[in-house]
Amino acid sequence: MESLSALGVVIEVVDRGSFAAAGRALGVSASAVGKSITRLEERVGARLFQRTSRSLRLTPEGERFVERCRRILAEVGAAEAELAEANGEPRGTLRISVPVAGGPFRSALADFQEAYPSVVLEIESTNRYVDLVREGFDAAIRSGVLEDSTLTARYLGAFRALLVGSPEYLARRGAPRLPRDLARHDLLQFRLSTSGRLHALTVREPADSAPRFARTSVVANNLDLLIHFAVRGRGLAYVADVLIRDELEAGTLVPVLAEQVGAPVACHVVWPEAKHVPPKLRVFIDYLAEHLLPER
């Protein structure tokens, strides 16, 4: 068991990029992580990491060792999953990547953990496309077109992108009736973390031209922040309807050009392809499919 624990420490250091980050994830000090690595190196008679004051990287021997460690720990995890399945209760740690966004994701994850208290959720909120296998994630929630064909995916439903503004802003600047009317409005622009590009509006009429705005007043890679600016009347925001359910119901945000601007966007949960899906992951996938984007 001590050897398996040491293998887990090595994997955490590789995935997190430093002893300090691995220590935070494991709940121990960076010094304790370093001592564990040193003891393991002494036991196997090889140096696993090349360490300087500014960098930490695997040696060639370390790369081969880590590759095998991942397979060993995956087998241990599968064995534990089989035991858990036999006992009828999903358990263990589930490491997932979710978008930096609001209500529906937070609610679904909290409800899942309440339904399955023996499953420990380790959540990373990020808008970048994580490498599930290399970074050790069990699953990720992704929207839009799926680019990684090596992953297994399950469709969760679809949401709609809407252009919205506050009633106060629209009263002050005038509600647009056609896409060309947006030329007198300010845009709150979302920057995609995956590509660094600005999120373009989908316009159906006219289909071949993007709307022009008077200016872009705010650029951010955080949708919650853009929603806040929109509620405060600082411009129009192009966001998913599921993220602004409360604001739409309360009337603090209203759709603009709903018949001409916006499009449905598919949402999936993805996970590494495997012969055996652990019970903790299987119930998580099923729960999301039922609760994240229910039919509206």
Side-chain angles (χ1 to χ4, degrees):
M1 291 304 295
E2 182 181 353
S3 295
L4 285 176
S5 177
L7 300 188
V9 172
V10 173
I11 297 301
E12 284 292 342
V13 171
V14 173
D15 290 343
R16 308 286 179 173
S18 71
F19 287 2
R24 286 193 294 272
L26 295 168
V28 298
S29 67
S31 175
V33 170
K35 290 178 181 178
S36 177
I37 296 295
T38 298
R39 287 195 298 270
L40 179 59
E41 289 177 331
E42 291 174 349
R43 190 159 64 245
V44 300
R47 198 166 186 81
L48 302 178
F49 293 94
Q50 292 178 346
R51 301 187 281 272
T52 69
S53 59
R54 295 185 177 181
S55 67
L56 176 71
R57 67 176 186 271
L58 286 168
T59 63
E61 295 82 4
E63 290 180 355
R64 292 192 295 271
F65 184 76
V66 165
E67 183 179 351
R68 180 161 293 189
C69 284
R70 290 192 188 279
R71 293 199 297 268
I72 292 170
L73 292 177
E75 285 298 320
V76 172
E80 291 177 345
E82 289 176 2
L83 286 175
E85 189 169 19
N87 292 331
E89 182 181 12
R91 63 177 64 248
T93 298
L94 198 63
R95 189 164 184 238
I96 58 175
S97 170
V98 302
V100 180
F105 298 103
R106 290 195 297 259
S107 297
L109 295 176
D111 291 343
F112 169 80
Q113 211 283 320
E114 184 176 352
Y116 297 95
S118 296
V119 177
V120 178
L121 290 179
E122 184 177 333
I123 305 166
E124 179 168 323
S125 294
T126 178
N127 288 325
R128 69 181 180 88
Y129 269 41
V130 301
D131 185 324
L132 270 65
V133 175
R134 186 177 64 82
E135 298 181 54
F137 285 94
D138 296 293
I141 299 173
R142 291 181 177 169
S143 60
V145 178
L146 296 179
E147 299 178 356
D148 193 338
S149 61
T150 65
L151 299 175
T152 306
R154 181 167 175 180
Y155 177 72
L156 300 178
F159 55 83
R160 182 173 179 77
L162 294 176
L163 186 64
V164 295
S166 72
E168 293 78 12
Y169 171 84
L170 294 173
R172 186 172 73 248
R173 302 290 287 270
R177 297 180 180 275
L178 296 170
R180 64 172 175 265
D181 297 337
L182 296 174
R184 63 175 183 266
H185 288 274
D186 295 339
L187 179 63
L188 305 169
Q189 187 84 71
F190 179 63
R191 187 181 297 280
L192 299 168
S193 298
T194 52
S195 64
R197 297 178 180 175
L198 298 178
H199 190 200
L201 276 67
T202 299
V203 181
R204 292 188 295 282
E205 295 180 10
D208 58 347
S209 63
R212 295 181 179 275
F213 286 83
R215 67 180 183 128
T216 296
S217 57
V218 175
V219 176
N221 66 351
N222 185 304
L223 287 169
D224 284 339
L225 184 62
L226 294 183
I227 292 168
H228 178 75
F229 272 84
V231 171
R232 292 284 299 270
R234 307 318 305 160
L236 301 178
Y238 189 55
V239 296
D241 57 357
V242 295
L243 303 181
I244 52 174
R245 286 173 180 167
D246 293 342
E247 289 81 2
L248 291 173
E249 290 178 4
T252 55
L253 289 176
V254 295
V256 172
L257 299 173
E259 298 301 318
Q260 296 154 301
V261 177
V265 181
C267 186
H268 295 82
V269 57
V270 298
W271 64 96
E273 186 176 5
K275 293 181 180 179
H276 178 81
V277 178
K280 62 182 180 180
L281 179 55
R282 187 173 63 247
V283 296
F284 178 72
I285 294 167
D286 291 342
Y287 194 91
L288 288 183
E290 183 176 355
H291 296 92
L292 181 62
L293 291 171
E295 292 296 329
R296 292 170 285 154

mmCIF file of all heavy atoms in Angstrom, residues 84-133:
data_model
loop_
_atom_site.group_PDB
_atom_site.id
_atom_site.type_symbol
_atom_site.label_atom_id
_atom_site.label_comp_id
_atom_site.label_asym_id
_atom_site.label_seq_id
_atom_site.Cartn_x
_atom_site.Cartn_y
_atom_site.Cartn_z
ATOM 1 N N ALA A 84 -16.854 -2.171 -5.381
ATOM 2 C CA ALA A 84 -17.936 -1.232 -5.049
ATOM 3 C C ALA A 84 -19.223 -1.641 -5.743
ATOM 4 O O ALA A 84 -20.314 -1.555 -5.175
ATOM 5 C CB ALA A 84 -17.537 0.188 -5.454
ATOM 6 N N GLU A 85 -19.106 -2.096 -6.992
ATOM 7 C CA GLU A 85 -20.288 -2.511 -7.737
ATOM 8 C C GLU A 85 -20.918 -3.736 -7.088
ATOM 9 O O GLU A 85 -22.143 -3.849 -7.000
ATOM 10 C CB GLU A 85 -19.897 -2.807 -9.172
ATOM 11 C CG GLU A 85 -21.080 -3.046 -10.092
ATOM 12 C CD GLU A 85 -20.661 -3.069 -11.543
ATOM 13 O OE1 GLU A 85 -19.462 -3.256 -11.808
ATOM 14 O OE2 GLU A 85 -21.537 -2.891 -12.398
ATOM 15 N N ALA A 86 -20.055 -4.639 -6.607
ATOM 16 C CA ALA A 86 -20.573 -5.826 -5.931
ATOM 17 C C ALA A 86 -21.308 -5.451 -4.661
ATOM 18 O O ALA A 86 -22.302 -6.073 -4.284
ATOM 19 C CB ALA A 86 -19.424 -6.789 -5.612
ATOM 20 N N ASN A 87 -20.829 -4.424 -3.969
ATOM 21 C CA ASN A 87 -21.475 -3.971 -2.731
ATOM 22 C C ASN A 87 -22.668 -3.063 -3.001
ATOM 23 O O ASN A 87 -23.382 -2.681 -2.070
ATOM 24 C CB ASN A 87 -20.464 -3.233 -1.845
ATOM 25 C CG ASN A 87 -19.394 -4.172 -1.309
ATOM 26 O OD1 ASN A 87 -19.641 -5.351 -1.125
ATOM 27 N ND2 ASN A 87 -18.194 -3.643 -1.092
ATOM 28 N N GLY A 88 -22.854 -2.680 -4.265
ATOM 29 C CA GLY A 88 -24.038 -1.931 -4.648
ATOM 30 C C GLY A 88 -24.009 -0.450 -4.375
ATOM 31 O O GLY A 88 -25.015 0.220 -4.564
ATOM 32 N N GLU A 89 -22.890 0.121 -3.951
ATOM 33 C CA GLU A 89 -22.849 1.554 -3.664
ATOM 34 C C GLU A 89 -21.656 2.199 -4.357
ATOM 35 O O GLU A 89 -20.511 1.887 -4.044
ATOM 36 C CB GLU A 89 -22.746 1.808 -2.161
ATOM 37 C CG GLU A 89 -22.753 3.289 -1.813
ATOM 38 C CD GLU A 89 -22.618 3.531 -0.315
ATOM 39 O OE1 GLU A 89 -22.300 2.579 0.405
ATOM 40 O OE2 GLU A 89 -22.804 4.678 0.101
ATOM 41 N N PRO A 90 -21.891 3.100 -5.314
ATOM 42 C CA PRO A 90 -20.776 3.805 -5.955
ATOM 43 C C PRO A 90 -20.005 4.618 -4.922
ATOM 44 O O PRO A 90 -20.596 5.290 -4.080
ATOM 45 C CB PRO A 90 -21.479 4.733 -6.964
ATOM 46 C CG PRO A 90 -22.819 4.125 -7.179
ATOM 47 C CD PRO A 90 -23.187 3.502 -5.863
ATOM 48 N N ARG A 91 -18.685 4.568 -5.011
ATOM 49 C CA ARG A 91 -17.859 5.321 -4.083
ATOM 50 C C ARG A 91 -16.527 5.636 -4.728
ATOM 51 O O ARG A 91 -16.197 5.118 -5.777
ATOM 52 C CB ARG A 91 -17.645 4.548 -2.773
ATOM 53 C CG ARG A 91 -16.886 3.237 -2.926
ATOM 54 C CD ARG A 91 -16.648 2.582 -1.572
ATOM 55 N NE ARG A 91 -17.909 2.196 -0.946
ATOM 56 C CZ ARG A 91 -18.390 2.796 0.163
ATOM 57 N NH1 ARG A 91 -17.712 3.760 0.744
ATOM 58 N NH2 ARG A 91 -19.524 2.388 0.685
ATOM 59 N N GLY A 92 -15.772 6.524 -4.082
ATOM 60 C CA GLY A 92 -14.461 6.903 -4.588
ATOM 61 C C GLY A 92 -14.448 8.345 -5.053
ATOM 62 O O GLY A 92 -15.454 9.051 -4.994
ATOM 63 N N THR A 93 -13.288 8.786 -5.530
ATOM 64 C CA THR A 93 -13.118 10.161 -5.985
ATOM 65 C C THR A 93 -13.368 10.252 -7.483
ATOM 66 O O THR A 93 -12.870 9.439 -8.260
ATOM 67 C CB THR A 93 -11.702 10.664 -5.668
ATOM 68 O OG1 THR A 93 -11.512 10.649 -4.250
ATOM 69 C CG2 THR A 93 -11.509 12.093 -6.179
ATOM 70 N N LEU A 94 -14.153 11.244 -7.878
ATOM 71 C CA LEU A 94 -14.472 11.482 -9.272
ATOM 72 C C LEU A 94 -13.922 12.846 -9.638
ATOM 73 O O LEU A 94 -14.368 13.877 -9.132
ATOM 74 C CB LEU A 94 -15.984 11.441 -9.473
ATOM 75 C CG LEU A 94 -16.516 11.239 -10.889
ATOM 76 C CD1 LEU A 94 -16.079 9.891 -11.447
ATOM 77 C CD2 LEU A 94 -18.037 11.339 -10.902
ATOM 78 N N ARG A 95 -12.927 12.868 -10.515
ATOM 79 C CA ARG A 95 -12.292 14.130 -10.922
ATOM 80 C C ARG A 95 -12.895 14.590 -12.237
ATOM 81 O O ARG A 95 -12.790 13.900 -13.257
ATOM 82 C CB ARG A 95 -10.783 13.940 -11.057
ATOM 83 C CG ARG A 95 -10.029 15.247 -11.259
ATOM 84 C CD ARG A 95 -8.540 15.085 -11.008
ATOM 85 N NE ARG A 95 -7.889 16.375 -11.121
ATOM 86 C CZ ARG A 95 -6.912 16.650 -11.970
ATOM 87 N NH1 ARG A 95 -6.442 15.705 -12.772
ATOM 88 N NH2 ARG A 95 -6.375 17.851 -12.021
ATOM 89 N N ILE A 96 -13.535 15.756 -12.211
ATOM 90 C CA ILE A 96 -14.271 16.217 -13.383
ATOM 91 C C ILE A 96 -13.900 17.650 -13.732
ATOM 92 O O ILE A 96 -13.492 18.439 -12.881
ATOM 93 C CB ILE A 96 -15.792 16.112 -13.168
ATOM 94 C CG1 ILE A 96 -16.217 16.921 -11.934
ATOM 95 C CG2 ILE A 96 -16.220 14.670 -13.038
ATOM 96 C CD1 ILE A 96 -17.706 16.967 -11.719
ATOM 97 N N SER A 97 -14.058 17.976 -15.010
ATOM 98 C CA SER A 97 -13.834 19.331 -15.508
ATOM 99 C C SER A 97 -15.173 19.882 -15.971
ATOM 100 O O SER A 97 -15.885 19.237 -16.748
ATOM 101 C CB SER A 97 -12.840 19.309 -16.671
ATOM 102 O OG SER A 97 -12.779 20.575 -17.314
ATOM 103 N N VAL A 98 -15.528 21.076 -15.491
ATOM 104 C CA VAL A 98 -16.795 21.703 -15.870
ATOM 105 C C VAL A 98 -16.522 23.138 -16.300
ATOM 106 O O VAL A 98 -15.536 23.745 -15.887
ATOM 107 C CB VAL A 98 -17.813 21.684 -14.710
ATOM 108 C CG1 VAL A 98 -18.081 20.261 -14.252
ATOM 109 C CG2 VAL A 98 -17.327 22.528 -13.538
ATOM 110 N N PRO A 99 -17.390 23.716 -17.130
ATOM 111 C CA PRO A 99 -17.189 25.099 -17.560
ATOM 112 C C PRO A 99 -17.291 26.084 -16.393
ATOM 113 O O PRO A 99 -17.949 25.811 -15.392
ATOM 114 C CB PRO A 99 -18.332 25.326 -18.560
ATOM 115 C CG PRO A 99 -18.773 23.965 -18.970
ATOM 116 C CD PRO A 99 -18.542 23.086 -17.782
ATOM 117 N N VAL A 100 -16.626 27.211 -16.544
ATOM 118 C CA VAL A 100 -16.766 28.292 -15.571
ATOM 119 C C VAL A 100 -18.090 28.974 -15.883
ATOM 120 O O VAL A 100 -18.175 29.873 -16.699
ATOM 121 C CB VAL A 100 -15.606 29.299 -15.666
ATOM 122 C CG1 VAL A 100 -15.785 30.405 -14.627
ATOM 123 C CG2 VAL A 100 -14.278 28.598 -15.453
ATOM 124 N N ALA A 101 -19.139 28.507 -15.265
ATOM 125 C CA ALA A 101 -20.481 29.040 -15.533
ATOM 126 C C ALA A 101 -21.334 28.835 -14.292
ATOM 127 O O ALA A 101 -20.903 28.252 -13.312
ATOM 128 C CB ALA A 101 -21.090 28.348 -16.747
ATOM 129 N N GLY A 102 -22.561 29.299 -14.373
ATOM 130 C CA GLY A 102 -23.362 29.406 -13.173
ATOM 131 C C GLY A 102 -24.296 28.271 -12.863
ATOM 132 O O GLY A 102 -23.975 27.100 -13.019
ATOM 133 N N GLY A 103 -25.502 28.652 -12.474
ATOM 134 C CA GLY A 103 -26.522 27.862 -11.834
ATOM 135 C C GLY A 103 -26.672 26.401 -12.178
ATOM 136 O O GLY A 103 -26.554 25.552 -11.305
ATOM 137 N N PRO A 104 -26.965 26.041 -13.448
ATOM 138 C CA PRO A 104 -27.303 24.643 -13.725
ATOM 139 C C PRO A 104 -26.189 23.673 -13.396
ATOM 140 O O PRO A 104 -26.450 22.563 -12.938
ATOM 141 C CB PRO A 104 -27.618 24.641 -15.229
ATOM 142 C CG PRO A 104 -26.986 25.883 -15.760
ATOM 143 C CD PRO A 104 -27.038 26.878 -14.650
ATOM 144 N N PHE A 105 -24.935 24.060 -13.614
ATOM 145 C CA PHE A 105 -23.822 23.165 -13.310
ATOM 146 C C PHE A 105 -23.653 23.017 -11.800
ATOM 147 O O PHE A 105 -23.500 21.908 -11.289
ATOM 148 C CB PHE A 105 -22.539 23.696 -13.951
ATOM 149 C CG PHE A 105 -22.601 23.761 -15.446
ATOM 150 C CD1 PHE A 105 -22.794 24.970 -16.096
ATOM 151 C CD2 PHE A 105 -22.484 22.615 -16.211
ATOM 152 C CE1 PHE A 105 -22.862 25.040 -17.473
ATOM 153 C CE2 PHE A 105 -22.552 22.667 -17.601
ATOM 154 C CZ PHE A 105 -22.749 23.879 -18.223
ATOM 155 N N ARG A 106 -23.687 24.147 -11.099
ATOM 156 C CA ARG A 106 -23.544 24.078 -9.639
ATOM 157 C C ARG A 106 -24.655 23.243 -9.024
ATOM 158 O O ARG A 106 -24.413 22.389 -8.160
ATOM 159 C CB ARG A 106 -23.553 25.492 -9.053
ATOM 160 C CG ARG A 106 -22.322 26.314 -9.376
ATOM 161 C CD ARG A 106 -22.239 27.531 -8.471
ATOM 162 N NE ARG A 106 -23.355 28.436 -8.668
ATOM 163 C CZ ARG A 106 -23.291 29.558 -9.383
ATOM 164 N NH1 ARG A 106 -22.165 29.881 -9.991
ATOM 165 N NH2 ARG A 106 -24.336 30.345 -9.505
ATOM 166 N N SER A 107 -25.887 23.473 -9.448
ATOM 167 C CA SER A 107 -27.029 22.769 -8.870
ATOM 168 C C SER A 107 -26.974 21.272 -9.155
ATOM 169 O O SER A 107 -27.197 20.448 -8.261
ATOM 170 C CB SER A 107 -28.337 23.355 -9.407
ATOM 171 O OG SER A 107 -28.476 24.707 -9.032
ATOM 172 N N ALA A 108 -26.675 20.917 -10.409
ATOM 173 C CA ALA A 108 -26.639 19.503 -10.772
ATOM 174 C C ALA A 108 -25.546 18.762 -10.010
ATOM 175 O O ALA A 108 -25.744 17.635 -9.546
ATOM 176 C CB ALA A 108 -26.434 19.355 -12.277
ATOM 177 N N LEU A 109 -24.372 19.393 -9.859
ATOM 178 C CA LEU A 109 -23.269 18.742 -9.153
ATOM 179 C C LEU A 109 -23.587 18.596 -7.661
ATOM 180 O O LEU A 109 -23.295 17.556 -7.052
ATOM 181 C CB LEU A 109 -21.983 19.535 -9.350
ATOM 182 C CG LEU A 109 -21.450 19.585 -10.787
ATOM 183 C CD1 LEU A 109 -20.230 20.480 -10.869
ATOM 184 C CD2 LEU A 109 -21.130 18.192 -11.299
ATOM 185 N N ALA A 110 -24.167 19.625 -7.075
ATOM 186 C CA ALA A 110 -24.520 19.554 -5.655
ATOM 187 C C ALA A 110 -25.599 18.508 -5.417
ATOM 188 O O ALA A 110 -25.542 17.741 -4.439
ATOM 189 C CB ALA A 110 -24.986 20.920 -5.161
ATOM 190 N N ASP A 111 -26.578 18.450 -6.308
ATOM 191 C CA ASP A 111 -27.648 17.455 -6.173
ATOM 192 C C ASP A 111 -27.099 16.045 -6.342
ATOM 193 O O ASP A 111 -27.527 15.112 -5.648
ATOM 194 C CB ASP A 111 -28.747 17.712 -7.204
ATOM 195 C CG ASP A 111 -29.528 18.991 -6.923
ATOM 196 O OD1 ASP A 111 -29.433 19.495 -5.786
ATOM 197 O OD2 ASP A 111 -30.219 19.482 -7.840
ATOM 198 N N PHE A 112 -26.149 15.875 -7.271
ATOM 199 C CA PHE A 112 -25.547 14.553 -7.457
ATOM 200 C C PHE A 112 -24.808 14.115 -6.194
ATOM 201 O O PHE A 112 -24.939 12.972 -5.752
ATOM 202 C CB PHE A 112 -24.571 14.571 -8.638
ATOM 203 C CG PHE A 112 -23.732 13.317 -8.726
ATOM 204 C CD1 PHE A 112 -24.234 12.165 -9.276
ATOM 205 C CD2 PHE A 112 -22.427 13.300 -8.214
ATOM 206 C CE1 PHE A 112 -23.475 10.999 -9.338
ATOM 207 C CE2 PHE A 112 -21.658 12.150 -8.274
ATOM 208 C CZ PHE A 112 -22.184 10.999 -8.837
ATOM 209 N N GLN A 113 -24.018 15.021 -5.610
ATOM 210 C CA GLN A 113 -23.259 14.660 -4.423
ATOM 211 C C GLN A 113 -24.183 14.330 -3.259
ATOM 212 O O GLN A 113 -23.877 13.465 -2.438
ATOM 213 C CB GLN A 113 -22.315 15.807 -4.044
ATOM 214 C CG GLN A 113 -21.018 15.362 -3.377
ATOM 215 C CD GLN A 113 -21.230 14.974 -1.924
ATOM 216 O OE1 GLN A 113 -21.988 15.634 -1.218
ATOM 217 N NE2 GLN A 113 -20.572 13.921 -1.490
ATOM 218 N N GLU A 114 -25.331 14.994 -3.197
ATOM 219 C CA GLU A 114 -26.314 14.687 -2.159
ATOM 220 C C GLU A 114 -26.921 13.300 -2.386
ATOM 221 O O GLU A 114 -27.165 12.558 -1.443
ATOM 222 C CB GLU A 114 -27.408 15.745 -2.157
ATOM 223 C CG GLU A 114 -28.436 15.564 -1.045
ATOM 224 C CD GLU A 114 -29.453 16.684 -1.001
ATOM 225 O OE1 GLU A 114 -29.285 17.687 -1.723
ATOM 226 O OE2 GLU A 114 -30.425 16.566 -0.230
ATOM 227 N N ALA A 115 -27.130 12.954 -3.661
ATOM 228 C CA ALA A 115 -27.708 11.648 -3.981
ATOM 229 C C ALA A 115 -26.702 10.516 -3.799
ATOM 230 O O ALA A 115 -27.088 9.386 -3.479
ATOM 231 C CB ALA A 115 -28.233 11.649 -5.425
ATOM 232 N N TYR A 116 -25.410 10.815 -3.986
ATOM 233 C CA TYR A 116 -24.358 9.803 -3.870
ATOM 234 C C TYR A 116 -23.258 10.321 -2.948
ATOM 235 O O TYR A 116 -22.167 10.687 -3.393
ATOM 236 C CB TYR A 116 -23.789 9.458 -5.252
ATOM 237 C CG TYR A 116 -24.800 8.845 -6.184
ATOM 238 C CD1 TYR A 116 -25.502 9.636 -7.096
ATOM 239 C CD2 TYR A 116 -25.076 7.480 -6.142
ATOM 240 C CE1 TYR A 116 -26.448 9.072 -7.945
ATOM 241 C CE2 TYR A 116 -26.015 6.909 -6.996
ATOM 242 C CZ TYR A 116 -26.702 7.711 -7.891
ATOM 243 O OH TYR A 116 -27.638 7.152 -8.728
ATOM 244 N N PRO A 117 -23.513 10.365 -1.653
ATOM 245 C CA PRO A 117 -22.558 10.967 -0.706
ATOM 246 C C PRO A 117 -21.233 10.218 -0.596
ATOM 247 O O PRO A 117 -20.253 10.783 -0.109
ATOM 248 C CB PRO A 117 -23.327 10.947 0.617
ATOM 249 C CG PRO A 117 -24.353 9.867 0.458
ATOM 250 C CD PRO A 117 -24.735 9.885 -0.981
ATOM 251 N N SER A 118 -21.171 8.973 -1.034
ATOM 252 C CA SER A 118 -19.916 8.219 -0.963
ATOM 253 C C SER A 118 -18.977 8.535 -2.124
ATOM 254 O O SER A 118 -17.849 8.064 -2.156
ATOM 255 C CB SER A 118 -20.202 6.710 -0.932
ATOM 256 O OG SER A 118 -20.904 6.345 0.241
ATOM 257 N N VAL A 119 -19.460 9.324 -3.093
ATOM 258 C CA VAL A 119 -18.616 9.751 -4.197
ATOM 259 C C VAL A 119 -18.063 11.145 -3.884
ATOM 260 O O VAL A 119 -18.821 12.086 -3.648
ATOM 261 C CB VAL A 119 -19.393 9.799 -5.530
ATOM 262 C CG1 VAL A 119 -18.502 10.320 -6.659
ATOM 263 C CG2 VAL A 119 -19.936 8.416 -5.880
ATOM 264 N N VAL A 120 -16.753 11.254 -3.849
ATOM 265 C CA VAL A 120 -16.091 12.531 -3.586
ATOM 266 C C VAL A 120 -15.853 13.225 -4.928
ATOM 267 O O VAL A 120 -15.187 12.678 -5.813
ATOM 268 C CB VAL A 120 -14.751 12.330 -2.857
ATOM 269 C CG1 VAL A 120 -14.054 13.675 -2.642
ATOM 270 C CG2 VAL A 120 -14.976 11.626 -1.525
ATOM 271 N N LEU A 121 -16.402 14.428 -5.091
ATOM 272 C CA LEU A 121 -16.221 15.180 -6.323
ATOM 273 C C LEU A 121 -14.996 16.090 -6.216
ATOM 274 O O LEU A 121 -14.898 16.893 -5.292
ATOM 275 C CB LEU A 121 -17.456 16.034 -6.619
ATOM 276 C CG LEU A 121 -18.727 15.293 -7.027
ATOM 277 C CD1 LEU A 121 -19.859 16.293 -7.253
ATOM 278 C CD2 LEU A 121 -18.503 14.445 -8.274
ATOM 279 N N GLU A 122 -14.080 15.936 -7.154
ATOM 280 C CA GLU A 122 -12.961 16.867 -7.282
ATOM 281 C C GLU A 122 -13.199 17.642 -8.574
ATOM 282 O O GLU A 122 -13.072 17.103 -9.668
ATOM 283 C CB GLU A 122 -11.629 16.127 -7.326
ATOM 284 C CG GLU A 122 -10.432 17.062 -7.374
ATOM 285 C CD GLU A 122 -9.104 16.325 -7.343
ATOM 286 O OE1 GLU A 122 -9.054 15.217 -6.792
ATOM 287 O OE2 GLU A 122 -8.132 16.876 -7.897
ATOM 288 N N ILE A 123 -13.589 18.910 -8.447
ATOM 289 C CA ILE A 123 -14.083 19.692 -9.571
ATOM 290 C C ILE A 123 -13.076 20.761 -9.972
ATOM 291 O O ILE A 123 -12.603 21.512 -9.129
ATOM 292 C CB ILE A 123 -15.426 20.361 -9.219
ATOM 293 C CG1 ILE A 123 -16.439 19.316 -8.749
ATOM 294 C CG2 ILE A 123 -15.964 21.153 -10.395
ATOM 295 C CD1 ILE A 123 -17.652 19.912 -8.078
ATOM 296 N N GLU A 124 -12.773 20.819 -11.255
ATOM 297 C CA GLU A 124 -11.972 21.920 -11.786
ATOM 298 C C GLU A 124 -12.844 22.723 -12.744
ATOM 299 O O GLU A 124 -13.315 22.204 -13.760
ATOM 300 C CB GLU A 124 -10.730 21.419 -12.518
ATOM 301 C CG GLU A 124 -9.905 22.567 -13.089
ATOM 302 C CD GLU A 124 -8.525 22.155 -13.562
ATOM 303 O OE1 GLU A 124 -7.912 21.295 -12.899
ATOM 304 O OE2 GLU A 124 -8.060 22.694 -14.577
ATOM 305 N N SER A 125 -13.083 23.984 -12.412
ATOM 306 C CA SER A 125 -13.875 24.865 -13.267
ATOM 307 C C SER A 125 -12.928 25.589 -14.221
ATOM 308 O O SER A 125 -12.089 26.372 -13.791
ATOM 309 C CB SER A 125 -14.651 25.886 -12.423
ATOM 310 O OG SER A 125 -15.616 25.229 -11.628
ATOM 311 N N THR A 126 -13.077 25.318 -15.499
ATOM 312 C CA THR A 126 -12.206 25.930 -16.497
ATOM 313 C C THR A 126 -12.901 25.914 -17.849
ATOM 314 O O THR A 126 -13.713 25.024 -18.124
ATOM 315 C CB THR A 126 -10.860 25.180 -16.599
ATOM 316 O OG1 THR A 126 -10.067 25.776 -17.618
ATOM 317 C CG2 THR A 126 -11.060 23.718 -16.927
ATOM 318 N N ASN A 127 -12.591 26.895 -18.674
ATOM 319 C CA ASN A 127 -13.139 26.928 -20.025
ATOM 320 C C ASN A 127 -12.154 26.385 -21.059
ATOM 321 O O ASN A 127 -12.445 26.405 -22.249
ATOM 322 C CB ASN A 127 -13.541 28.361 -20.389
ATOM 323 C CG ASN A 127 -14.781 28.807 -19.637
ATOM 324 O OD1 ASN A 127 -15.682 28.023 -19.381
ATOM 325 N ND2 ASN A 127 -14.827 30.075 -19.258
ATOM 326 N N ARG A 128 -10.989 25.911 -20.617
ATOM 327 C CA ARG A 128 -10.054 25.315 -21.557
ATOM 328 C C ARG A 128 -10.401 23.836 -21.754
ATOM 329 O O ARG A 128 -11.071 23.220 -20.929
ATOM 330 C CB ARG A 128 -8.615 25.447 -21.053
ATOM 331 C CG ARG A 128 -8.292 24.599 -19.831
ATOM 332 C CD ARG A 128 -6.870 24.786 -19.350
ATOM 333 N NE ARG A 128 -6.609 23.962 -18.175
ATOM 334 C CZ ARG A 128 -6.189 22.713 -18.233
ATOM 335 N NH1 ARG A 128 -5.970 22.123 -19.407
ATOM 336 N NH2 ARG A 128 -5.969 22.020 -17.126
ATOM 337 N N TYR A 129 -9.963 23.280 -22.867
ATOM 338 C CA TYR A 129 -10.176 21.860 -23.131
ATOM 339 C C TYR A 129 -9.069 21.067 -22.441
ATOM 340 O O TYR A 129 -7.937 21.049 -22.914
ATOM 341 C CB TYR A 129 -10.168 21.598 -24.640
ATOM 342 C CG TYR A 129 -11.527 21.677 -25.278
ATOM 343 C CD1 TYR A 129 -12.436 22.672 -24.898
ATOM 344 C CD2 TYR A 129 -11.914 20.779 -26.261
ATOM 345 C CE1 TYR A 129 -13.672 22.769 -25.474
ATOM 346 C CE2 TYR A 129 -13.169 20.872 -26.860
ATOM 347 C CZ TYR A 129 -14.041 21.874 -26.458
ATOM 348 O OH TYR A 129 -15.281 21.955 -27.036
ATOM 349 N N VAL A 130 -9.395 20.433 -21.338
ATOM 350 C CA VAL A 130 -8.396 19.652 -20.627
ATOM 351 C C VAL A 130 -8.157 18.333 -21.362
ATOM 352 O O VAL A 130 -9.041 17.810 -22.041
ATOM 353 C CB VAL A 130 -8.830 19.370 -19.167
ATOM 354 C CG1 VAL A 130 -9.058 20.666 -18.403
ATOM 355 C CG2 VAL A 130 -10.092 18.508 -19.128
ATOM 356 N N ASP A 131 -6.951 17.820 -21.232
ATOM 357 C CA ASP A 131 -6.620 16.500 -21.758
ATOM 358 C C ASP A 131 -6.986 15.493 -20.676
ATOM 359 O O ASP A 131 -6.262 15.334 -19.695
ATOM 360 C CB ASP A 131 -5.130 16.427 -22.090
ATOM 361 C CG ASP A 131 -4.737 15.117 -22.763
ATOM 362 O OD1 ASP A 131 -5.303 14.073 -22.407
ATOM 363 O OD2 ASP A 131 -3.867 15.157 -23.649
ATOM 364 N N LEU A 132 -8.107 14.820 -20.834
ATOM 365 C CA LEU A 132 -8.626 13.962 -19.775
ATOM 366 C C LEU A 132 -7.643 12.874 -19.379
ATOM 367 O O LEU A 132 -7.440 12.623 -18.182
ATOM 368 C CB LEU A 132 -9.965 13.325 -20.194
ATOM 369 C CG LEU A 132 -11.233 14.113 -19.856
ATOM 370 C CD1 LEU A 132 -11.282 15.433 -20.612
ATOM 371 C CD2 LEU A 132 -12.476 13.303 -20.136
ATOM 372 N N VAL A 133 -7.035 12.236 -20.361
ATOM 373 C CA VAL A 133 -6.138 11.115 -20.059
ATOM 374 C C VAL A 133 -4.846 11.622 -19.426
ATOM 375 O O VAL A 133 -4.431 11.147 -18.370
ATOM 376 C CB VAL A 133 -5.840 10.316 -21.340
ATOM 377 C CG1 VAL A 133 -4.812 9.213 -21.052
ATOM 378 C CG2 VAL A 133 -7.121 9.709 -21.895
#
